[in-house]
């Protein structure tokens, strides 16, 4: 067994000890994980952002326009200096503006696709059922129409049940997903470490 | 009956381990029924003419390998069998590397040459802004280098793969777990560029993503590792997914039993409380 | 005109983007008008009260009776996430009530930008309740900037400070079940609200009261009475009613026509 596999096996076991109860071995593994992931990110950010922008684009290729972007990034740190912390709001506003703009520019169209996708031609029980579920779930989220109206409240109540069924399906799917993750780990322990499985 | 509510969680964990270990050690070979999203994706790929370019987004990290790796493997078997050409791109730092490790052996098996039949651009920072740049120029969004840093100018396939759009590519698929992932692809690749899009997703994201298949925005889907198992059956390769699906079936049975027991305990306790 | 079209000036709409643009424009106008009306104190449609809302005051009241703190947490997302913005509206209300009842409030934070804003909101709420002296800045805490370290830190708070009520309100991921489960173990009443579909089942299953999806925005607007939030929720609701109407019309057309003109228009 190589060192990498052995380390992975030991760390996996250390984490599993938590299932019995919280203990120092588990916490050691957990802290090591946080430390390694932080170190990994520092390296990745340097390799993917600092190096290509500062060393290559600006210093080697002389794309001085990038300095402006760099400056906006640096200004973000101004919030740690109380006297000039207001400066940090400018790049923050830029980011917020970009985020809102991106959503409005690109995320509306997939939504329209969802709307037109709901124009179902009733050819089977499934399509009728699907359409009723879509519409009633939508009615459940009407907040300005009073529920005192019997028609609205009965559709909304049906909508609530539709949502609960969907959440049940989501719950089941998530639990199964977690099992697949566990299976990946158990397979690693039994096949690669203990070599009892194929 | 109320004792059912007080089962030691450690016992539940132990049994969980036993159930999963049984699935790993034994080959159960439970029947796999192909579902419409997987079948639709398979049929779509099946109809693509040989030589068509396929864009593959490897948008996940090591945490989701056990669910998504089998999907990637099953998909590449099909793609290489059909003589399609592939460009791999990743918005996740580890995605490019995971893709390389998975695709290399399959490519060798089908005698596919790197640079001519497939290219791995690797991880490209910038999330959706980078993906958007790819739709106008792949050379630019990839900073003209592949995952190893070699220039794209020397790779013949890249002469053909200029931009991520429907004139160049026949299909785009993203194997994804979160953000950035399918939402970005839906907005940029499907809605804006009108390119046929497919989704390789985690079991837990299936209820969230399936409406996009039902509305016709996705041409097909891998619904979790089960989807990978279905695809393996369709393509006729034996991989890890059928086994993983066996494990899921056993786990589902085990969880269902626990849920029923827990509810019996809960209802008895509630009845006892109201009786008092 | 031909010249303009050739020069690309009229080509500002990418093919198929016209309908989404019109919809976005209409939506923006509705929301803008509603916000302005709410600000000016003019009449706008009322938001109906949600079941989980009574639970909020009940939870704070229970904490007061037991002499134990209330804990609030906005999840992992940053300030650009609408769920976090909804949390801000709610936090003001919870902080004000806590100040009035003289109950200790502990507010956890993961995001470094959310943290100072939370602190400011709590300070302001204590001031408005006439209890600036009771505000303790150490109770608005930055726990850790990473999912599971933050979760571990919050579990520590649960064990040490034993809050009687935990309010999880915002964007949650895999930590949701761990937090809810541990709140149950310390006997705290828990209220969960998220618009992250994959975590809703865990809140519905594990919390005493859960608000799902759009409900969390409406609840936040309802309790805060903040004009921007209220106007936005009402505007959104109108947009939702519009979508409902579109689906009804579109579906009727799908039954009677082979080419659905509404679908064609929306696709442009």
């Amino acid at each position: 067994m190589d060192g990498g596999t052995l380390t992975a096996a030991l760390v996996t076991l250390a984490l599993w000890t938590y299932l019995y109860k919280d203990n120092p071995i588990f916490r050691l593994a957990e802290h090591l994980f946080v430390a390694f992931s932080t170190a990994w990110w520092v390296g990745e950010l340097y390799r993917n952002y600092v190096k290509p922008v500062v060393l290559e684009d600006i210093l080697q290729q002389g794309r001085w326009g990038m300095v402006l972007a760099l400056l906006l990034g640096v200004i973000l740190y101004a919030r740690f200096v109380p006297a000039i912390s207001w400066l940090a709001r400018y790049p923050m506003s830029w980011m917020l503006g970009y985020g809102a703009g991106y959503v409005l520019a690109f995320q509306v169209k997939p939504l329209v696709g969802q709307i037109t996708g709901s124009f179902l031609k009733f050819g089977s029980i499934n399509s009728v059922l699907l359409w009723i579920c879509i519409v009633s779930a939508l009615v459940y989220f009407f907040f300005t129409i009073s529920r005192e109206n019997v028609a609205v409240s009965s559709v909304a109540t049906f909508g609530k049940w539709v949502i609960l069924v969907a959440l049940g399906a989501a719950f089941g799917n998530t639990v199964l997903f977690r099992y697949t993750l566990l299976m990946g780990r158990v397979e690693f322990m039994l096949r690669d470490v203990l070599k009892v499985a194929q | 009956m109320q004792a059912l509510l007080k089962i030691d969680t450690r016992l539940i964990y132990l049994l969980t381990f036993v159930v999963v270990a049984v699935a790993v050690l034994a080959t159960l070979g439970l029947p796999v029924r192909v579902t419409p999203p997987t079948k639709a994706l398979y049929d779509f790929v099946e109809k693509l003419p040989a030589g068509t370019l396929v864009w593959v987004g490897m948008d996940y990290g090591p945490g989701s390998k056990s669910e998504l790796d089998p999907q990637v493997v099953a998909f590449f078997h099909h793609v290489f069998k059909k003589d399609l050409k592939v460009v791999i791109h990743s918005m996740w730092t580890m995605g490019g590397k995971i893709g390389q490790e998975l695709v290399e052996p399959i490519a060798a098996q089908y005698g596919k040459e790197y640079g001519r039949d497939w290219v791995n651009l690797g991880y490209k920072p910038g999330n959706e802004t980078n993906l958007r740049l790819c739709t106008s120029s792949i050379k630019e969004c990839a900073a003209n280098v592949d995952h190893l840093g070699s220039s794209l100018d020397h790779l013949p396939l890249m002469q053909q793969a200029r931009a991520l759009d429907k004139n160049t590519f026949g299909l785009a698929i993203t194997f994804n777990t979160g953000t950035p992932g399918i939402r970005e692809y839906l907005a940029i690749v499907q809605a804006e560029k009108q390119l046929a899009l497919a989704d390789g997703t985690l079991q837990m994201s299936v209820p969230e993503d399936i409406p996009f298949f039902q509305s016709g925005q996705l041409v097909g889907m891998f619904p979790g590792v089960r989807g990978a198992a279905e695809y393996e059956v369709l393509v006729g390769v034996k991989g890890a997914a059928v086994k993983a699906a066996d494990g899921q079936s056993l786990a589902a049975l085990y969880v269902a039993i626990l849920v029923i027991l827990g509810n019996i305990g809960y209802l008895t306790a509630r009845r006892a409380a109201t009786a008092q | 005109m031909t010249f303009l079209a050739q020069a690309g000036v009229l080509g500002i709409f990418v093919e198929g983007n016209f309908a989404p643009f019109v919809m976005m424009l209409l939506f923006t106008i509705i929301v803008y008008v509603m916000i302005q009306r709410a600000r000016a104190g003019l009449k706008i449609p009322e938001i109906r009260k949600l079941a989980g809302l009574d639970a909020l005051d009940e939870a704070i009241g229970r904490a007061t009776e037991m002499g134990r703190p209330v804990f609030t947490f906005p999840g992992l997302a940053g300030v650009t996430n609408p769920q976090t913005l909804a949390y801000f509206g709610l936090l003001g209300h919870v902080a004000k009530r806590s100040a009035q009842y003289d109950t200790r409030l502990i507010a956890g934070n993961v995001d470094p930008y959310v943290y100072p804003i939370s602190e400011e909101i709590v300070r302001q709420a204590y001031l408005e309740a006439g209890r600036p002296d009771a505000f303790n800045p150490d109770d608005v805490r930055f726990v850790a900037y990473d999912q599971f370290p933050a979760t571990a830190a919050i579990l520590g708070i649960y064990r040490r400070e034993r809050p009687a009520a935990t309010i999880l309100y915002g964007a949650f991921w895999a930590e949701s079940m761990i937090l809810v489960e541990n709140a149950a173990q310390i006997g705290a009443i828990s209220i969960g609200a998220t618009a992250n579909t994959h975590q809703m089942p865990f809140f519905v299953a594990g919390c005493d009261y859960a608000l799902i999806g759009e409900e969390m925005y409406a609840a936040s607007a309802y309790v805060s009475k903040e004009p921007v939030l209220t106007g936005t929720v009402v505007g959104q609701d109108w947009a939702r009613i519009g979508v409902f109407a579109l689906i009804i019309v579109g579906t009727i057309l799908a039954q009677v026509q082979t080419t659905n003109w509404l679908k064609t228009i929306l696709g442009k």
Side-chain angles (χ1 to χ4, degrees):
Chain A
M1 199 189 309
D2 65 283
T5 312
L6 184 67
T7 315
L10 290 177
V11 175
T12 303
L13 283 177
L15 284 170
W16 283 355
T17 59
Y18 182 78
L19 296 176
Y20 187 73
K21 70 184 225 198
D22 194 7
N23 64 73
I25 297 173
F26 163 75
R27 263 177 270 152
L28 175 73
E30 196 189 24
H31 289 130
L32 279 176
F33 171 66
V34 174
F36 281 131
S37 92
T38 309
W40 155 268
W41 274 108
V42 170
E44 279 294 307
L45 292 177
Y46 174 78
R47 198 167 72 95
N48 291 306
Y49 292 90
V50 180
K51 188 165 156 265
V53 174
V54 181
L55 298 184
E56 288 164 15
D57 286 348
I58 299 177
L59 295 178
Q60 284 175 17
Q61 294 174 21
R63 292 167 66 182
W64 295 101
M66 300 287 253
V67 173
L68 190 69
L70 192 69
L71 205 66
L72 277 172
V74 173
I75 289 175
L76 271 175
Y77 290 91
R79 57 179 232 91
F80 295 114
V81 188
I84 51 160
S85 64
W86 55 272
L87 266 177
R89 288 186 190 159
Y90 288 94
M92 264 311 277
S93 314
W94 182 294
M95 278 152 61
L96 277 168
Y98 168 79
Y102 170 78
V103 169
L104 290 177
F106 295 106
Q107 296 293 351
V108 183
K109 211 174 168 195
L111 176 76
V112 176
Q114 285 284 294
I115 298 172
T116 53
S118 311
F119 299 169
L120 300 174
K121 189 163 172 57
F122 301 143
S124 63
I125 293 181
N126 270 348
S127 60
V128 178
L129 202 63
L130 181 63
W131 189 82
I132 293 173
C133 291
I134 293 171
V135 172
S136 48
L138 201 58
V139 173
Y140 175 77
F141 288 110
F142 286 174
F143 297 118
T144 53
I145 295 182
S146 166
R147 287 275 170 91
E148 279 162 21
N149 183 323
V150 184
V152 178
S153 81
S154 23
V155 175
T157 310
F158 182 73
K160 185 174 89 179
W161 284 100
V162 169
I163 294 166
L164 287 176
V165 169
L167 291 182
F171 187 89
N173 273 299
T174 309
V175 170
L176 286 188
F177 162 62
R178 302 269 196 264
Y179 268 92
T180 316
L181 290 187
L182 174 66
M183 206 167 145
R185 278 290 87 189
V186 173
E187 201 171 3
F188 165 76
M189 293 300 275
L190 295 180
R191 190 188 60 197
D192 301 346
V193 181
L194 300 174
K195 303 202 189 299
V196 290
Q198 283 185 347
Chain B
M1 280 296 178
Q2 289 180 41
L4 287 174
L5 284 180
K6 295 192 185 98
I7 301 175
D8 193 337
T9 43
R10 283 171 287 200
L11 182 67
I12 295 177
Y13 296 140
L14 187 69
L15 283 174
T16 304
F17 186 84
V18 172
V19 167
V20 174
V22 166
V24 170
L25 292 170
T27 308
L28 301 168
L30 297 171
V32 178
R33 193 176 57 87
V34 179
T35 53
T38 321
K39 183 72 171 62
L41 176 60
Y42 176 83
D43 289 344
F44 191 91
V45 176
E46 196 61 19
K47 284 197 193 100
L48 291 174
T52 307
L53 274 168
V54 175
W55 177 273
V56 175
M58 289 290 296
D59 303 311
Y60 65 95
S64 311
K65 272 173 76 69
S66 54
E67 274 245 321
L68 298 184
D69 280 6
Q71 297 181 1
V72 176
V73 171
F75 184 73
F76 270 91
H77 271 290
H78 194 199
V79 160
F80 285 147
K81 242 183 196 173
K82 292 281 305 170
D83 285 324
L84 304 174
K85 314 235 177 223
V86 185
V87 175
I88 301 170
H89 172 267
S90 173
M91 294 190 279
W92 283 53
T93 44
M94 293 287 277
K97 193 171 177 294
I98 296 174
Q100 190 67 23
E101 283 171 6
L102 291 174
V103 178
E104 235 167 18
I106 309 172
Q109 195 182 329
Y110 290 89
K112 299 293 174 188
E113 190 190 328
Y114 183 81
R116 199 169 291 280
D117 300 304
W118 68 289
V119 165
N120 182 4
L121 300 175
Y123 166 63
K124 300 295 166 195
N127 298 350
E128 73 279 354
T129 40
N130 185 272
L131 185 64
R132 200 167 140 60
L133 195 55
C134 293
T135 62
S136 52
S137 163
I138 293 176
K139 197 171 162 169
E140 226 176 295
C141 80
N144 203 24
V145 286
D146 72 353
H147 74 294
L148 289 176
S150 347
S151 167
L152 298 185
D153 297 335
H154 306 308
L155 306 171
L157 183 64
M158 296 318 289
Q159 305 307 315
Q160 193 188 337
R162 296 282 183 188
L164 176 58
D165 57 33
K166 63 176 170 185
N167 300 324
T168 317
F169 286 82
L171 170 72
I173 182 168
T174 165
F175 295 95
N176 67 101
T177 61
T179 311
I182 191 65
R183 300 290 151 139
E184 285 67 25
Y185 269 83
L186 272 166
I188 295 165
V189 177
Q190 195 275 329
E192 198 191 339
K193 289 290 156 182
Q194 312 272 305
L195 177 59
L197 178 66
D199 175 22
T201 192
L202 300 175
Q203 188 85 38
M204 81 172 213
S205 304
V206 175
E208 222 168 313
D209 290 5
I210 203 120
F212 295 106
F213 170 68
Q214 285 164 333
S215 67
Q217 286 161 289
L218 295 173
V219 295
M221 247 179 97
F222 276 107
V225 77
R226 183 154 291 276
E230 294 166 13
Y231 214 85
E232 280 180 3
V233 170
L234 288 168
V235 180
V237 288
K238 257 189 112 172
V242 172
K243 194 162 208 178
D246 276 354
Q248 269 201 349
S249 302
L250 271 188
L253 188 68
Y254 172 62
V255 174
I257 292 172
L258 288 178
V259 168
I260 292 169
L261 290 179
N263 273 286
I264 292 174
Y266 172 72
L267 291 173
T268 339
R270 203 169 68 169
R271 189 166 296 170
T274 27
Q276 274 174 8
Chain C
M1 284 300 271
T2 325
F3 167 74
L4 284 174
Q6 278 169 351
V9 178
L10 290 183
I12 45 171
F13 293 109
V14 176
E15 195 196 333
N17 267 8
F18 185 66
F21 175 76
V22 173
M23 287 174 86
M24 190 199 82
L25 199 67
L26 275 175
F27 176 61
T28 313
I29 293 170
I30 297 173
V31 170
Y32 180 77
V33 170
M34 289 302 166
I35 291 175
Q36 290 306 324
R37 286 185 70 90
R39 274 194 177 143
L42 296 170
K43 197 174 176 328
I44 61 166
E46 269 183 42
I47 302 171
R48 71 178 160 81
K49 198 169 186 190
L50 299 157
L53 285 180
D54 294 322
L56 264 182
D57 288 345
E58 186 191 319
I60 303 170
R62 189 161 168 261
T64 311
E65 280 167 19
M66 296 172 80
R68 276 160 51 182
V70 172
F71 176 78
T72 62
F73 182 56
L76 306 180
V79 283
T80 52
N81 192 305
Q83 301 184 61
T84 312
L85 301 180
Y87 167 77
F88 289 148
L90 176 105
L91 180 65
H93 172 77
V94 173
K96 207 167 170 177
R97 276 292 145 85
S98 305
Q100 284 163 348
Y101 295 167
D102 201 14
T103 303
R104 189 171 161 217
L105 169 74
I106 305 173
N109 295 282
V110 164
D111 190 281
Y113 292 105
V114 173
Y115 169 51
I117 301 174
S118 294
E119 190 180 300
E120 208 44 50
I121 289 172
V122 177
R123 187 196 305 272
Q124 184 64 29
Y126 272 75
L127 196 70
E128 281 171 19
R131 297 291 317 279
D133 53 304
F135 171 66
N136 176 8
D138 287 343
D139 277 344
V140 182
R141 297 178 191 169
F142 178 80
V143 285
Y145 187 40
D146 213 346
Q147 183 180 24
F148 287 106
T151 309
I154 292 171
L155 298 192
I157 294 176
Y158 280 8
R159 300 280 158 192
R160 285 188 305 273
E161 327 255 3
R162 304 192 78 78
T166 60
I167 301 167
L168 308 174
Y169 207 97
F172 288 83
W173 278 268
E175 72 287 352
S176 68
M177 196 62 205
I178 304 173
L179 295 177
V180 170
E181 168 106 15
N182 278 276
Q185 282 177 10
I186 56 163
I189 191 168
S190 59
I191 296 169
T194 186
N196 283 10
T197 325
H198 41 86
Q199 299 309 318
M200 284 178 201
F202 296 107
F203 276 177
V204 170
C207 289
D208 296 289
Y209 296 96
L211 292 166
I212 52 169
E214 297 289 310
E215 284 182 340
M216 68 182 293
Y217 304 114
S220 166
Y222 188 90
V223 296
S224 69
K225 305 271 183 257
E226 219 274 310
V228 174
L229 278 178
T230 316
T232 311
V233 169
V234 173
Q236 267 182 3
D237 212 49
W238 281 30
R240 224 174 348 252
I241 295 167
V243 166
F244 176 81
L246 277 179
I247 292 179
I248 300 279
V249 175
T251 311
I252 294 171
L253 290 176
Q255 314 309 314
V256 294
Q257 291 181 329
T258 37
T259 44
N260 193 334
W261 56 263
L262 189 57
K263 197 169 186 167
T264 321
I265 291 176
L266 290 176
K268 290 266 184 239

